């Protein structure tokens, strides 16, 4: 599918100069492409960015991440070249590949199992929604990418092979067969060497994608001969017109050569595959694309997330609890570091995103800092101005304190204690409140664990109750925080002798705030306590303290 035109990009001499030296990884990658064009002596031709997807399983966040990161490099390239060089982003689905195993996370597995080795676009959709399993997964991928507003073109291997768009390079591969085999065979186990071929013929009898030796080649006729296991007969088919599918490393090289791909990133586990595909690409007369090897996403057990296993977060799951922008931020950060992709990373990603938006506004006069800010890359050079007066962590603690199951409960606190803020004036905050309630219900509430205060803590909580009672009901967060600290400063348990308080005495240790959150909210951590009390309300906080002292909170856990 063709996406809408790219949005305009703000370009100034200062921004272009800063882009040329920016250490942000998208600019480092984009400079590779600029150098590629310079080597060719053709600086104004269209540059093709590609991402690949194997639809043997449902698309996962890693698939999204590859597109998001590639889009970031594309935006960086547009700025470096003053948007004078045409660019395209193609999301390519290898949907003609044969299904080798049934994914764990699809229904009707017995039915799917009957179609093993068939092309993905020739297997009935186990969900009963689309023309085939391949079409179903492609539709899921496109829906995800559309939701994020990516400018991209979708490409189907089935369509490209059958329409003859690879025919010329397939014939080149047939002519260079021995050279391709010489590249590939040393990388294979001895057993696999016996049956390997860069061509996977499609059986005219069974429709299976076959991994069989090629017995004869006819370069002039453009055909190959193999023994079809479906009827044990010698069978001759053309390598063109969708009668064969290239093995995936050869297929990658075929695509790079036929489409003229300039940039494609891939996971660190594919470094050797990239090297081999690059050699095959050169054997076919092409130039391998510039690339980037990113680290893998891990599940909660430290295992690589997988389409077939369905482990790790799905895109839908992340978007149930947080905004698309927060997911893009997670993808931007440290792409060369392995990261656990679990639910507990979401709150920080949400708050960090709004922190970067605020920083972008503060750095209006510093182009270099703006280009290093993830918000610039997430929003393709045009971050929005959003006033977000309350953090996601704060909303989660409000939900924990009030046991909120509707966002209206959170708005009750917000409207009473934060001036000039309503769901209409702050739609992003309203959205965040909805996310916070869902996250609280699914992840915080089931794990809440209140503990009863010991005698020292009981005295400290009683003192805090009295101290809060001395404050006016509309006390600001700083006044409340000072009161909370004053209670701890005179308590030996919570004195931090490594720091000095305002009056010259010891500072306050983090143990005090840890105790407050464990006893009053049933959680291990939270936002700044004074800010929490200011929004939750002084009377409400004092009532919470009294419930804790009466044993009602720990007794209910």
């Amino acid at each position: 599918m063709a996406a809408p035109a790219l949005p305009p990009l703000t370009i100034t001499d200062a921004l272009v100069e800063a882009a040329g030296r920016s250490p942000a990884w998208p600019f480092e990658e984009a400079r590779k492409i600029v150098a590629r064009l310079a080597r060719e002596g053709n600086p104004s031709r269209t540059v093709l960015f590609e991402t690949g997807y194997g639809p043997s399983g449902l698309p996962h966040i890693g698939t999204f991440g590859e597109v998001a990161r590639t889009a970031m490099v594309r935006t960086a390239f547009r700025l470096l070249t003053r948007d004078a060089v045409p660019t395209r982003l193609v999301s390519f689905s290898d949907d003609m590949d044969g299904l080798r195993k049934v994914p764990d996370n699809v229904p009707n597995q017995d039915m799917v199992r009957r179609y093993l080795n068939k092309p993905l676009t020739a297997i009935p959709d186990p969900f009963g929604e689309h023309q085939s399993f391949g079409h179903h997964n492609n539709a899921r991928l496109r829906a995800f990418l559309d939701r994020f507003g990516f400018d991209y073109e979708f490409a189907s291997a089935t369509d490209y092979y059958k329409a003859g768009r690879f025919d010329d390079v397939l014939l080149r591969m047939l002519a260079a067969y021995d050279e391709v085999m010489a590249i590939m065979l040393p990388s294979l186990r001895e057993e696999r060497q016996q049956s390997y071929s860069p061509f996977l013929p499609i059986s005219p009898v069974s429709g299976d994608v076959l991994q069989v030796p090629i017995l004869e080649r006819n370069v002039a006729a453009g055909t190959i001969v193999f023994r079809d296991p479906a009827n044990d007969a010698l069978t001759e088919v053309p390598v063109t017109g969708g009668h064969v599918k290239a093995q995936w490393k050869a297929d990658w090289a075929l695509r790079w050569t036929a489409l003229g791909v300039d940039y494609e990133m891939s996971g660190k586990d594919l470094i050797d595959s990239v090297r081999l595909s690059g050699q095959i690409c050169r054997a076919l007369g092409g130039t391998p694309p510039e690339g980037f090897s990113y680290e893998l996403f891990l599940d909660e057990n430290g295992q690589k997330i997988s389409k077939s296993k369905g482990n790790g977060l799905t895109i839908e799951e992340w978007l149930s609890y947080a905004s698309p922008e927060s997911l893009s931020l997670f993808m931007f950060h440290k792409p060369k570091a392995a990261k656990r992709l679990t639910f507990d990373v979401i709150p920080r990603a949400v708050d960090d995103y709004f922190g970067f938006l605020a920083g972008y506004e503060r750095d209006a006069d510093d182009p270099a800092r703006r280009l290093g800010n993830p918000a610039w890359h997430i929003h393709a050079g045009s971050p929005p101005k959003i006033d977000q007066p309350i953090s996601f962590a704060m909303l989660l603690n409000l939900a924990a304190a009030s046991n909120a199951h509707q966002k209206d409960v959170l708005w009750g606190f917000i409207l009473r204690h934060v001036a000039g803020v309503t769901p209409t004036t702050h739609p992003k905050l309203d959205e965040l409140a909805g996310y916070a309630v869902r996250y609280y219900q699914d992840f915080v509430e089931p794990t809440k664990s209140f503990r009863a205060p010991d005698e020292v803590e009981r005295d400290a909580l009683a003192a805090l109750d009295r101290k809060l009672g001395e404050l006016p009901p509309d006390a600001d967060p700083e006044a409340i925080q000072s009161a909370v600290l004053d209670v701890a400063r005179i308590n030996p348990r919570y004195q931090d002798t490594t720091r000095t308080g305002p009056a010259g005495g010891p500072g306050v240790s983090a143990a005090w705030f840890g105790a407050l959150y464990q006893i009053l909210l049933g959680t291990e951590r939270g936002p700044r306590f004074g800010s929490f009390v200011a929004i939750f309300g002084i009377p409400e906080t004092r009532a919470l303290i009294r419930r804790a002292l009466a044993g009602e909170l720990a007794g209910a856990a």
Side-chain angles (χ1 to χ4, degrees), residues 293-304:
S293 293
Y294 56 82
E295 260 290 3
L296 305 179
F297 295 110
L298 310 176
D299 66 13
E300 59 186 2
N301 298 314
Q303 300 297 311
K304 172 189 170 184

Side-chain angles (χ1 to χ4, degrees), residues 435-505:
Y435 289 138
V437 168
R438 284 195 291 273
Y439 192 93
Y440 165 71
Q441 288 179 292
D442 291 349
F443 300 107
V444 179
E445 186 176 30
T447 62
K448 282 174 74 170
S449 179
F450 294 94
R451 67 174 178 83
D454 62 24
E455 286 305 311
V456 172
E457 291 164 337
R458 290 183 65 84
D459 290 343
L461 286 170
L464 178 59
D465 180 31
R466 292 191 297 272
K467 194 75 171 178
L468 293 176
E470 297 170 2
L471 296 174
D474 60 350
D476 64 30
E478 291 304 319
I480 297 171
Q481 186 76 1
S482 293
V484 175
L485 291 170
D486 286 345
V487 170
R489 286 190 181 107
I490 60 174
N491 190 315
R493 176 183 289 186
Y494 300 122
Q495 292 174 349
D496 182 354
T497 57
T498 66
R499 295 189 295 174
T500 302

Side-chain angles (χ1 to χ4, degrees), residues 61 310 312-322 343 346 443:
I61 283 185
L313 282 177
T314 68
I315 301 175
E316 296 104 319
E317 286 171 333
W318 185 292
L319 297 183
S320 294
Y321 306 107
F343 288 103
I346 291 177
F443 300 107

Side-chain angles (χ1 to χ4, degrees), residues 131-147:
Q131 178 181 338
S132 73
F133 186 39
H135 285 86
H136 176 96
N137 292 336
N138 288 342
R140 290 279 291 272
L141 175 66
R142 293 166 68 171
F144 295 150
L145 301 185
D146 292 345
R147 179 170 181 178

